């Protein structure tokens, strides 16, 4: 059994996710502010904004939609619908981004330890563009995991364009 998992927790089902989170964090920690300001294209977000977006989305879905505690322990505790990535004139450095990734990962990690397989079917509603949507805990976790993998790929491609260390999610 994975350390920190109870026999009924879902941690074992998502056992590779902590590795993905660490790999992203470690690459961001090693980047310079100039590296983080690089963009994949002239109209694309700078890398720091994409990293901040990944961290902020964790809190949006787990705290704002599902109602899990912990947002106040992150830089996203006082959300008003905008995240760091919406403030493109306020660059974020590696220390701020590592703190955002670490603090929001603690919320994810707590959910992986506390939620059971049975809880994955629980539904939550949110309003989007005047329409109500229903999401299960399971669909939210899948959304978060694939969202992070998608953006790690996007960041890796940008890093590769500039000859910088890429995020290898699967390295041994």
């Amino acid at each position: 059994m994975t350390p920190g998992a109870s026999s009924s927790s879902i941690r074992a089902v998502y056992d590779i996710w902590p590795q993905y989170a660490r790999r992203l964090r470690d690459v961001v920690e090693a980047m310079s502010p100039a590296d983080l300001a690089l963009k994949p294209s002239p109209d694309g977000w700078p890398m720091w904004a994409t990293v901040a977006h990944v961290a902020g989305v964790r809190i949006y879905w787990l705290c704002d939609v599902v109602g899990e505690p912990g947002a106040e322990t992150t830089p996203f505790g006082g959300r008003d619908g905008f995240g760091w990535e919406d403030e493109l004139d306020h660059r974020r450095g590696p220390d701020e981004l590592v703190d955002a990734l670490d603090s929001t990962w603690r919320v994810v990690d707590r959910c992986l330890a506390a939620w059971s397989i049975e809880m994955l079917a629980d539904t939550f509603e949110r309003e989007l563009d005047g329409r109500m949507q229903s999401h299960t805990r399971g669909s939210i976790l899948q959304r978060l995991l694939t969202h992070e993998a998608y953006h790690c790929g996007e960041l890796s491609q940008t890093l590769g364009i500039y000859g910088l260390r890429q995020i290898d999610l699967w390295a041994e």
Side-chain angles (χ1 to χ4, degrees), residues 35 37-41 47 156-165:
D35 294 341
L38 296 170
K39 296 179 176 186
S41 65
M47 286 197 284
S156 285
Q157 185 174 30
T158 303
L159 290 163
I161 289 168
Y162 292 101
L164 299 171
R165 175 181 163 209

Side-chain angles (χ1 to χ4, degrees), residues 1-17:
M1 184 179 307
T2 305
S6 72
S7 61
S8 63
S9 99
I10 60 168
R11 186 182 304 281
V13 177
Y14 293 91
D15 65 335
I16 200 74
W17 196 356

Side-chain angles (χ1 to χ4, degrees), residues 70-90:
E72 68 284 352
T73 66
T74 75
F76 305 99
R79 291 186 64 94
D80 58 2
F82 292 96
W84 282 358
E85 71 278 9
D86 297 312
E87 300 174 12
L88 294 178
D89 58 340
H90 185 163

Side-chain angles (χ1 to χ4, degrees), residues 52-66:
H53 170 71
V54 166
V57 164
R58 292 171 175 172
I59 297 307
Y60 170 74
W61 281 100
L62 295 175
C63 299
D64 297 351
V65 175
V66 175

